[in-house]
Amino acid sequence: MSVSQEVAETTALKALAWLVNNEEVCSVFLGSTGASVEDLRARAAEPDFLGSVLEFITMDDAWVVDFCDSNALAYEVPMMAAATLLGTARMHWT
């Protein structure tokens, strides 16, 4: 199952907004990725960056639930959107 590029990008932009508005999770994202607040603004239109935001959120079930509940999304949508945006760059071999 997958989502369209448009749905993936819209979901990712919502995820970025959720991240920015969640100070605790945003600081974890910035610390773990090395991104800066300026990067959040400057790279908001880049599918790879947006995919990395989604991939980060999917690392924690509580984040997924909070993000999805606050945006009326099914819990599997962030993972599907990340797969669409990242394509083969997201392949896991384990």
Side-chain angles (χ1 to χ4, degrees):
M1 185 174 217
S2 64
V3 296
S4 70
Q5 185 74 20
E6 182 179 346
V7 168
E9 289 176 7
T10 300
T11 301
L13 288 171
K14 289 178 182 179
L16 182 58
W18 176 86
L19 182 72
V20 169
N21 288 306
N22 188 322
E23 190 174 321
E24 182 181 333
V25 179
C26 189
S27 66
V28 173
F29 177 79
L30 295 176
S32 66
T33 63
S36 67
V37 173
E38 293 78 30
D39 290 330
L40 298 179
R41 290 184 195 103
R43 299 189 64 201
E46 297 176 20
D48 286 347
F49 183 74
L50 291 173
S52 71
V53 169
L54 287 167
E55 196 166 47
F56 175 79
I57 289 173
T58 62
M59 290 178 17
D60 188 304
D61 289 345
W63 297 343
V64 172
V65 169
D66 187 40
F67 166 64
C68 290
D69 287 353
S70 66
N71 287 280
L73 295 170
Y75 298 136
E76 64 273 4
V77 170
M79 186 75 72
M80 291 187 304
T84 297
L85 292 174
L86 297 173
T88 58
R90 191 164 198 270
M91 291 184 88
H92 295 281
W93 298 102
T94 57

